[in-house]
Amino acid sequence: MDPETGQSQRYQSRMQRQKAIVDAAIVRANKSKGLLLVLTGNGKGKSSSAFGMAARALGHGMRVGVAQFIKGRSDTGEEAFFRQQKNIVWHVLGEGFTWDTQDLARDRETARRGWVVVQTMLCDTSIDLLILDELTYPLKFGWLEINEILADLQNRPAMQHVVITGRAAPDVLCQAADTVTEMRDVKHAFQTGIQAQTGIDY
Ligand code: ATP
Ligand code: MG
């Protein structure tokens, strides 16, 4: 047998074994439920991943709710785009970064009023996917009580998916989640003096 044929046969049998493993895993994964996903870490990609899922869900005719807790800027492409879609409700519940507002009592009150809006969506069986963008900050700063938030999440409709984004997700939240992804900051253009780029960063 020439070396190329041998290599091709070894590749084929390795792929057959791989396919058997993947097929068996797919057969085992036969349950369905509303998922709690946490996208955390210091690297870029948390909110944009969440909005990628929003696009997927809308593409399937599902209804999507978005609650944005820390509102860094009001000119994002995702907001402009998704507000044009019919199956999405978009709530801006935050006022800005803490270093902009510099008012603890006001930030706490804003977060609590925001959570009341989220509670209505967590009771709404017509919302299939709920994105709680930057929710980790009100949790981290103690503006919202984590046990109350976890209880409300647990009592949501059985098939409702929830995606939570933001750095430094609390451990208890990650433990409660079905899927947790930590974005790792390998490098980011901003660190070399490049400003936020339209369509990439906002
Ligand atoms: P994105 O919205 O791009 O998915 P993100 O949600 O992961 O980012 P945030 O912490 O919400 O990250 O910050 C949003 C903005 O900050 C974006 O413009 C993003 O490019 C930028 N950013 C994210 N991570 C970093 C980083 N490690 N260094 C510098 N800028 C960052
Ligand atoms: Mg974000």
Side-chain angles (χ1 to χ4, degrees):
M1 191 191 304
D2 67 89
E4 207 165 301
T5 309
Q7 194 186 24
S8 155
Q9 283 179 352
R10 279 195 301 279
Y11 177 80
Q12 191 184 10
S13 60
R14 202 165 69 234
M15 286 304 130
Q16 273 168 355
R17 285 197 301 275
Q18 183 69 28
K19 181 166 164 38
I21 291 167
V22 172
D23 286 350
I26 291 171
V27 168
R28 272 198 308 277
N30 60 359
K31 295 186 284 259
S32 202
K33 66 171 283 213
L35 298 175
L36 177 60
L37 300 94
V38 173
L39 306 174
T40 192
N42 292 334
K44 171 176 162 54
K46 300 174 289 295
S47 297
S48 42
S49 166
F51 294 125
M53 284 181 261
R56 281 185 172 167
L58 291 175
H60 286 289
M62 295 162 75
R63 277 196 81 221
V64 176
V66 176
Q68 283 193 298
F69 275 85
I70 305 289
K71 180 72 179 164
R73 53 194 306 160
S74 56
D75 58 349
T76 67
E78 56 268 30
E79 185 171 352
F81 176 77
F82 283 115
R83 277 197 191 274
Q84 293 171 10
Q85 309 300 311
K86 67 173 168 25
N87 269 339
I88 193 161
V89 279
W90 190 288
H91 295 282
V92 176
L93 305 173
E95 289 200 309
F97 291 108
T98 45
W99 51 88
D100 287 332
T101 60
Q102 299 171 8
D103 184 337
L104 174 63
R106 186 166 131 189
D107 286 342
R108 183 174 280 147
E109 185 47 36
T110 303
R112 290 190 178 164
R113 265 189 282 115
W115 190 253
V116 174
V117 174
V118 171
Q119 282 173 322
T120 64
M121 292 195 282
L122 284 170
C123 294
D124 184 346
T125 53
S126 78
I127 293 185
D128 303 298
L129 168 63
L130 180 55
I131 293 173
L132 306 178
D133 192 33
E134 321 295 351
L135 175 66
T136 58
Y137 301 98
L139 295 175
K140 185 176 155 199
F141 292 122
W143 304 336
L144 296 173
E145 173 51 50
I146 182 72
N147 290 329
E148 188 197 333
I149 269 62
L150 287 176
D152 290 342
L153 289 170
Q154 255 152 25
N155 292 328
R156 74 188 191 276
M159 286 310 295
Q160 187 182 71
H161 303 299
V162 176
V163 181
I164 295 174
T165 81
R167 297 177 190 207
D171 287 343
V172 280
L173 180 65
C174 293
Q175 281 152 21
D178 300 286
T179 297
V180 180
T181 300
E182 180 154 347
M183 310 291 176
R184 187 165 67 88
D185 182 28
V186 178
K187 59 164 128 165
H188 191 290
F190 183 71
Q191 288 145 9
T192 61
I194 298 167
Q195 65 184 1
Q197 296 294 299
T198 311
I200 298 297
D201 293 301
Y202 67 96

